[in-house]
Amino acid sequence: MNLPAAKRRRATGRVTLNDVALAAGVSPITVSRALRGERAVDPELVARVREAADKLGYMPDPAARALASRHSTHVAVLIPLLSNALFVDLLEAVQRTLRPAGYQVLIGVTHYDEAEEEQLLREQLLHRPAGVLVTGLERRAGTRALIASSGVPCVHLMETAQAPGLHCVGFSQHAAGMAMTRHLLGRGRRRIAFAAAQLDARTLQRLAGWRDALTEAGLYEPTLEWLNPAPSSIALGGRMFEQIIGQRPAVDAIFFCNDDLAQGALLAALRLGVKVPEQVAVAGFNDLTGSDQMLPPLTSVRTPRGEIGEAAAAMLLALMRGQPVARPAIDLGFTLVPRSST
Amino acid sequence: MNLPAAKRRRATGRVTLNDVALAAGVSPITVSRALRGERAVDPELVARVREAADKLGYMPDPAARALASRHSTHVAVLIPLLSNALFVDLLEAVQRTLRPAGYQVLIGVTHYDEAEEEQLLREQLLHRPAGVLVTGLERRAGTRALIASSGVPCVHLMETAQAPGLHCVGFSQHAAGMAMTRHLLGRGRRRIAFAAAQLDARTLQRLAGWRDALTEAGLYEPTLEWLNPAPSSIALGGRMFEQIIGQRPAVDAIFFCNDDLAQGALLAALRLGVKVPEQVAVAGFNDLTGSDQMLPPLTSVRTPRGEIGEAAAAMLLALMRGQPVARPAIDLGFTLVPRSST
DNA sequence: CTGAAAGCGCTTACAG
DNA sequence: CTGAAAGCGCTTACAG
């Protein structure tokens, strides 16, 4: 190895494609192709290259690869919050599916802020991600344009709709809102309040489902809506419960848009001595951890976020590989979980 | 713009450093230096370059930058779980500090598995991160060697210790364990059980703190330790509470290693009709969301994870910039939060 | 303070 | 099926 000094000047000590090529006695480009399993390379050469690569401990440099191919192995994932267990479950499932396929997940937390989402996406796109996963279907026109013009494959999480070129995995938030409301109606409740925080797009779809179910039953009344734009939390659920019970004692059921609110409500009921479900039924959404441990156990809707994360990641994988996608819009449904709180 | 075809062949349409250089009438290298604020560049030139870059909407390519400089703008962060709010708070603080400085966070979830941690780090290191953040001080020798030989600056989260070359931000888990135990002793408790799940390094340090405080008081007894390697959860806390109360009715206080367990215990107590704190006091750790809403509100230890995330990220920032670090080991303390459960 | 040259480690696009 | 050439878009190291 008598390379001229100039050749060694910036040597990083890293094992490169070239080293493998020399060891295997082929050209670098053949190593590249053999290792990526691209095109037809003589199986015997592939074996020789593999062996040399293993022996030298060769690992491709993602930066060089990204620069040359104009695609990194990053996948950008944009979620509203990390403090909602829902999105953590989603993320874990995405990571579980994408990592073994050789992709790195870049997480962006939008805090339910459309401007922040656009800014994050703009930054992520600089890294030439191989794919993008975003939460929900609604966003700024600028953000949508950014995605479209980037040409990067994109799958939408948590909601589902049919539209040309749209890829999404989720379930009908509206139908889930209706289902829970009908469950409460089925238990004989007549004054069913809807209590929500955050008021993001999906919460509003559940609200619409509740509204439609009550209207259908001839029991809809605008004053039964309790909407609070503040972030969802156990403490807020307690306050909302006190408020509703205090101002509308005739309410006989409260459908909270998320389990943390409902859990807070159950704790407040215990504190206040309000009997659940005798005096008022309490229902939640998402079936978060702890809901089955509450007193009484909380009726909720189990949402398939793990499955959504996996299916969306699998769909993105196909898109990134240029493979055909059988169903571009997947509805994974939901499960009503009746417990003693209703 | 009459470039020969060959010049345009692989044009990406992206605005490059070269485009800015042409527009500003300087060499590309001067643009590079001006934009990075490196060395002394004529202020007038800097202004001209900035203007040209803004006008063209130039954004540097991270892959090209990483390849040439051998450092990406990624920071790898290794945490045990995303399903513990503690680490989510940590992560949010890290992101909040690192993103404005131009760094992207790559999250690795180790699931409390040392082999997985090593594997994740190995993958992350391929991306030539500018820095690494890891949770805790204990890990495999191989993982430590990987960090050391990479030469990438590394800061340790959640624990603190003095050692040459070691950078860490945290607090004394042992002292916190002692403090809570002494609080219980101060409330007249004499048979104080310690109930833990997961059994990671930090949990065991709290256990040691509990043990030392009880030994000091002449009240230590091995059978008061309830250690379960299963993942921590509200449901598990309920089961452990039932078990302890069932098998050792004389226990007059239980110190749970994490708030989720303690919350589950409080719910189980309600279910079983066990009076808290009259019959048995219940304490938790980390002061997680909802603990102040429990019935009775849960006594806990507030841990400064937000501050830890910020301080660690700031320290890493200094290391990545080659700046001196005043204090390589920062102890941010903790706060005992007494509530009605003890 | 500024620049021309070389190179980071890969892949694309073209030949054969 | 295999390869030589060129290039991806930056920064390093050396001069001046």
Side-chain angles (χ1 to χ4, degrees):
Chain A
M1 299 292 275
N2 272 315
L3 294 169
K7 269 280 176 204
R8 303 208 127 261
R9 211 182 343 160
R10 288 175 64 199
T12 54
R14 189 166 185 142
V15 178
T16 71
L17 199 70
N18 214 39
D19 298 330
V20 179
L22 261 90
V26 296
S27 75
I29 188 62
T30 298
V31 175
S32 170
R33 289 202 276 250
L35 258 26
R36 275 178 302 140
E38 192 223 283
R39 288 213 279 180
V41 178
D42 187 327
E44 199 216 318
L45 280 192
V46 173
R48 226 159 74 204
V49 167
R50 281 255 170 72
E51 198 185 332
D54 283 352
K55 213 181 80 192
L56 296 175
Y58 170 70
M59 300 298 272
D61 184 320
R65 186 171 260 185
L67 186 57
S69 72
R70 307 210 288 285
H71 282 300
S72 71
T73 54
H74 291 305
V75 169
V77 182
L78 263 34
I79 55 171
L81 284 179
L82 235 25
S83 50
N84 186 337
L86 172 72
F87 298 116
V88 168
D89 293 347
L90 199 58
L91 209 54
E92 290 257 15
V94 167
Q95 298 244 37
R96 204 163 50 232
T97 311
L98 254 25
R99 254 198 65 215
Y103 290 93
Q104 262 65 38
V105 170
L106 276 180
I107 298 169
V109 181
T110 69
H111 301 101
Y112 282 113
D113 180 329
E114 296 201 333
E116 198 168 344
E117 184 184 52
E118 182 165 347
Q119 179 54 25
L120 274 166
L121 192 67
R122 202 181 295 282
E123 284 174 22
Q124 311 272 44
L125 250 21
L126 289 178
H127 289 264
R128 313 174 190 258
V132 174
L133 249 25
V134 296
T135 307
L137 300 171
E138 280 183 30
R139 51 191 32 83
R140 286 177 165 200
T143 314
R144 290 200 304 271
L146 222 49
I147 296 172
S149 69
S150 75
V152 175
C154 175
V155 176
H156 300 71
L157 302 161
M158 297 310 291
E159 296 179 50
T160 177
Q162 305 283 344
L166 179 70
H167 296 270
C168 51
V169 182
F171 63 93
S172 169
Q173 307 273 346
H174 182 274
M178 280 195 95
M180 177 58 86
T181 309
R182 284 180 179 150
H183 161 78
L184 292 167
L185 288 166
R187 298 260 169 145
R189 306 293 162 165
R190 286 298 168 263
R191 287 189 206 81
I192 304 171
F194 185 85
Q198 193 62 60
L199 312 184
D200 59 280
R202 286 163 299 290
T203 295
L204 297 180
Q205 291 162 30
R206 302 202 273 274
L207 166 66
W210 162 84
R211 195 183 288 147
D212 291 350
L214 282 195
T215 303
E216 191 180 78
L219 293 170
Y220 174 66
E221 215 186 296
T223 59
L224 290 169
E225 292 182 14
W226 299 77
L227 307 180
N228 191 327
S232 192
S233 73
I234 292 180
L236 179 60
R239 287 198 296 277
M240 292 183 83
F241 180 81
E242 282 195 49
Q243 213 172 62
I244 298 172
I245 291 300
Q247 296 178 23
R248 300 288 306 264
V251 159
D252 60 8
I254 310 176
F255 174 13
F256 286 91
C257 74
N258 200 38
D259 269 14
D260 57 356
L261 294 174
Q263 290 178 6
L266 290 180
L267 291 169
L270 283 174
R271 222 163 19 235
L272 299 170
V274 174
K275 290 238 185 276
V276 175
E278 293 77 3
Q279 180 178 338
V280 59
V282 171
F285 199 90
N286 278 327
D287 195 26
L288 299 183
T289 171
S291 286
D292 59 340
Q293 300 297 309
M294 295 305 295
L295 212 74
L298 179 66
T299 292
S300 193
V301 171
R302 185 172 300 145
T303 52
R305 56 255 191 197
E307 292 86 337
I308 290 174
E310 280 170 16
M315 191 186 286
L316 188 64
L317 230 33
L319 290 170
M320 294 187 300
R321 291 169 175 160
Q323 295 164 355
V325 169
R327 291 188 302 151
I330 300 181
D331 184 339
L332 254 22
F334 54 87
T335 314
L336 192 93
V337 183
R339 297 201 184 94
S340 328
S341 71
T342 56
Chain B
M1 299 292 276
N2 271 315
L3 294 169
K7 269 280 178 203
R8 301 207 129 263
R9 211 181 343 157
R10 289 175 64 198
T12 54
R14 190 166 184 142
V15 178
T16 70
L17 199 71
N18 212 38
D19 298 330
V20 179
L22 261 93
V26 295
S27 74
I29 189 62
T30 298
V31 175
S32 170
R33 291 202 275 249
L35 258 27
R36 275 177 303 140
E38 192 223 282
R39 287 214 279 180
V41 178
D42 187 328
E44 198 215 319
L45 279 192
V46 173
R48 224 159 77 202
V49 167
R50 281 255 169 73
E51 198 185 334
D54 283 351
K55 213 180 82 193
L56 296 175
Y58 170 70
M59 301 298 272
D61 183 320
R65 187 169 260 186
L67 186 58
S69 72
R70 308 211 286 285
H71 282 300
S72 73
T73 55
H74 292 303
V75 170
V77 182
L78 263 35
I79 55 171
L81 284 179
L82 236 25
S83 49
N84 186 337
L86 172 70
F87 298 117
V88 169
D89 293 347
L90 199 58
L91 210 52
E92 289 257 15
V94 168
Q95 299 244 36
R96 206 163 48 232
T97 310
L98 254 24
R99 253 197 66 215
Y103 290 93
Q104 262 65 39
V105 170
L106 276 180
I107 299 168
V109 181
T110 68
H111 302 99
Y112 282 112
D113 180 330
E114 296 201 333
E116 198 168 344
E117 183 183 53
E118 181 165 349
Q119 179 54 27
L120 274 166
L121 192 67
R122 203 181 294 281
E123 285 175 21
Q124 311 272 43
L125 251 19
L126 289 179
H127 289 265
R128 310 173 191 257
V132 173
L133 248 25
V134 296
T135 306
L137 299 172
E138 280 183 31
R139 51 192 33 86
R140 285 176 165 201
T143 314
R144 290 200 305 272
L146 222 48
I147 296 173
S149 70
S150 74
V152 175
C154 174
V155 177
H156 300 71
L157 302 161
M158 298 310 291
E159 296 178 50
T160 177
Q162 306 283 343
L166 179 71
H167 295 271
C168 52
V169 182
F171 62 94
S172 169
Q173 306 273 346
H174 182 274
M178 279 195 98
M180 176 59 86
T181 309
R182 285 180 178 151
H183 161 80
L184 293 167
L185 288 167
R187 298 258 169 147
R189 306 293 162 165
R190 287 298 170 263
R191 287 190 205 81
I192 305 171
F194 185 84
Q198 194 63 60
L199 312 184
D200 59 280
R202 286 162 298 290
T203 295
L204 298 181
Q205 290 162 30
R206 300 202 274 275
L207 165 66
W210 162 84
R211 195 182 288 148
D212 290 350
L214 282 195
T215 303
E216 193 180 76
L219 294 169
Y220 173 65
E221 215 186 297
T223 59
L224 290 169
E225 292 182 16
W226 299 76
L227 307 180
N228 191 327
S232 192
S233 74
I234 292 181
L236 178 60
R239 286 199 297 279
M240 290 183 85
F241 180 82
E242 283 195 50
Q243 214 172 62
I244 298 171
I245 291 300
Q247 297 178 24
R248 299 287 306 264
V251 159
D252 59 9
I254 310 176
F255 174 12
F256 286 92
C257 74
N258 199 38
D259 269 13
D260 57 356
L261 294 175
Q263 291 179 5
L266 289 180
L267 292 168
L270 283 173
R271 219 161 26 234
L272 300 170
V274 175
K275 291 240 184 277
V276 175
E278 293 78 2
Q279 179 177 341
V280 59
V282 171
F285 199 90
N286 278 327
D287 195 26
L288 299 183
T289 171
S291 287
D292 59 341
Q293 301 297 307
M294 295 305 295
L295 213 73
L298 179 66
T299 291
S300 193
V301 171
R302 186 172 300 144
T303 52
R305 56 253 191 199
E307 292 85 337
I308 291 175
E310 280 169 16
M315 191 186 286
L316 188 63
L317 229 34
L319 290 170
M320 294 188 299
R321 290 168 174 159
Q323 296 165 354
V325 169
R327 290 189 302 151
I330 300 181
D331 184 339
L332 255 23
F334 55 85
T335 315
L336 192 92
V337 184
R339 297 200 183 94
S340 329
S341 71
T342 56

